[in-house]
Amino acid sequence: MGNCFSRGKGRPPPQAERSENYGPATQKQTQEINWDMCADQCVNQRNGNSLSEPVREKSVRTFYTRVGRASDVKIGKTVSENRINNLFDIYKDTDEEIQAEGIERLCADLNLSPDEYRVLLLAWKLDASQMCRFTREEFVKGCRAMHVDSLKGIQNKLAELETEVREDQTVFKDLYRFTFRFGLDSAAGQRILAADMAMDLWRLVFCGQEPAILQRWLRFLQCHPHIRGIPRDTWYMFLNLAEAVGDDLSTYNDAEAWPSLFDDFVEFENDQANQNISKEKEQVIKAEWDS
């Protein structure tokens, strides 16, 4: 194609057709005809038809080879599954699992604490099915999806994920829902998250963007030890609650389909507010009498 282009553009008009009337308009027409000839020749060649004027195959083949190479370009370095498996083998506690001790060593080499937020991000991207355990399948598949096969690659990816989760609410929602499943004891068939575990995980998953009502919610749970577990629906809906009411619980509508535990929470907060108002009034009255 490149050869056709250069030949059509550079060929002068035949001497026999020159005349006194030859001018720019005639030259333009000749060039346009040659452009059409170029296109016809390229189409014929692709269709395998014979050409009245042969086209140099080397030029055409070079062009298509160049296009093929451009379309096969891969962004970033190639990830080696062998390197991922070798990395897994460094920290494995059994042939197919990295368990608590191995995770501690992995975290130390990543300059992380095992209870740090970025470790939750790592577990999320590995789609870990259980706390304190990464299977070989989870580790290899997760690292391949993150395009990493080294400690440095994991460190850099976790930094990117932290920014992505903070800036994209949809991505954060996926992490938030994973966190509930991650806290369950899947081996025991647990379906309700223990209240103390739920509180720890709420603190962890929200450490980068804490909702205005989080601390009051946690205080409510601590003041009611009879609340022993958090079902999945309550965990999921708390994110909606935090977005809906913000810092002002006066906008809470108990007629909506909220879990009953949220009704108890709002009632508790209102009672606390009323008690605070009463105490403030008592202090004002006392101050007036003293004066």
Side-chain angles (χ1 to χ4, degrees):
M1 180 172 178
N3 191 44
C4 292
F5 174 81
S6 60
R7 185 174 61 250
K9 182 177 180 180
R11 176 184 295 172
Q15 293 294 331
E17 295 178 2
R18 291 184 177 272
S19 66
E20 294 181 358
N21 295 329
Y22 180 81
T26 307
Q27 185 180 16
K28 179 179 179 182
Q29 181 181 5
T30 304
Q31 289 179 345
E32 291 175 352
I33 293 172
N34 286 332
W35 274 92
D36 294 338
M37 291 172 58
C38 171
D40 291 340
Q41 290 172 348
C42 290
V43 170
N44 287 335
Q45 187 183 36
R46 287 196 298 269
N47 294 336
N49 298 333
S50 60
L51 304 175
S52 57
E53 187 170 344
V55 178
R56 293 169 60 185
E57 292 184 0
K58 180 178 180 180
S59 176
V60 176
R61 185 166 56 250
T62 301
F63 171 78
Y64 282 110
T65 303
R66 186 168 65 252
V67 171
R69 285 200 302 267
S71 64
D72 291 338
V73 171
K74 295 182 179 179
I75 299 175
K77 71 180 185 68
T78 302
V79 175
S80 167
E81 190 163 320
N82 285 335
R83 285 197 293 266
I84 298 174
N85 274 292
N86 290 338
L87 186 61
F88 179 90
D89 290 338
I90 294 173
Y91 302 102
K92 69 181 182 180
D93 296 287
T94 68
D95 284 343
E96 295 301 320
E97 290 184 359
I98 300 175
Q99 297 175 352
E101 291 185 5
I103 289 176
E104 288 183 3
R105 290 186 286 111
L106 173 61
C107 291
D109 290 344
L110 290 172
N111 296 320
L112 299 174
S113 171
D115 58 355
E116 193 170 330
Y117 177 65
R118 289 191 180 186
V119 179
L120 176 64
L121 295 181
L122 177 60
W124 168 51
K125 296 313 290 184
L126 297 182
D127 197 23
S129 59
Q130 187 174 323
M131 297 183 75
C132 300
R133 188 192 74 174
F134 297 146
T135 67
R136 183 183 295 273
E137 181 181 0
E138 290 168 350
F139 191 84
V140 172
K141 185 178 179 180
C143 286
R144 193 168 58 229
M146 290 189 289
H147 305 288
V148 297
D149 56 14
S150 66
L151 290 175
K152 185 64 175 177
I154 293 175
Q155 287 176 319
N156 293 338
K157 187 62 178 180
L158 292 179
E160 294 174 9
L161 287 171
E162 189 170 4
T163 300
E164 183 181 2
V165 168
R166 184 173 59 250
E167 296 178 350
D168 191 327
Q169 188 63 20
T170 302
V171 177
F172 175 76
K173 185 176 182 179
D174 187 65
L175 168 66
Y176 180 80
R177 293 194 168 196
F178 164 81
T179 303
F180 177 84
R181 176 172 62 82
F182 184 58
L184 297 174
D185 185 352
S186 58
Q190 188 180 22
R191 303 181 65 180
I192 296 178
L193 200 58
D196 55 348
M197 174 64 74
M199 287 188 281
D200 288 341
L201 291 176
W202 263 314
R203 293 187 184 97
L204 182 62
V205 75
F206 282 125
C207 71
Q209 44 186 355
E210 184 175 302
I213 66 169
L214 179 62
Q215 293 305 320
R216 284 185 285 172
W217 170 250
L218 297 178
R219 181 184 63 181
F220 164 73
L221 295 177
Q222 289 170 340
C223 291
H224 295 79
H226 66 278
I227 302 173
R228 306 176 69 88
I230 301 297
R232 183 182 63 180
D233 289 347
T234 300
W235 176 276
Y236 284 8
M237 290 295 287
F238 179 76
L239 186 59
N240 299 62
L241 177 70
E243 294 172 350
V245 302
D247 191 32
D248 186 4
L249 291 177
S250 64
T251 61
Y252 180 80
N253 184 358
D254 57 6
E256 296 181 6
W258 295 111
S260 60
L261 191 58
F262 293 170
D263 295 338
D264 297 340
F265 163 59
V266 174
E267 183 179 354
F268 172 80
E269 284 296 306
N270 289 337
D271 289 343
Q272 293 293 309
N274 291 333
Q275 291 177 14
N276 291 335
I277 292 173
S278 298
K279 289 179 181 178
E280 290 174 0
K281 287 182 178 180
E282 289 177 3
Q283 291 173 356
V284 170
I285 293 172
K286 185 177 183 299
E288 290 177 352
W289 276 103
D290 292 342
S291 62

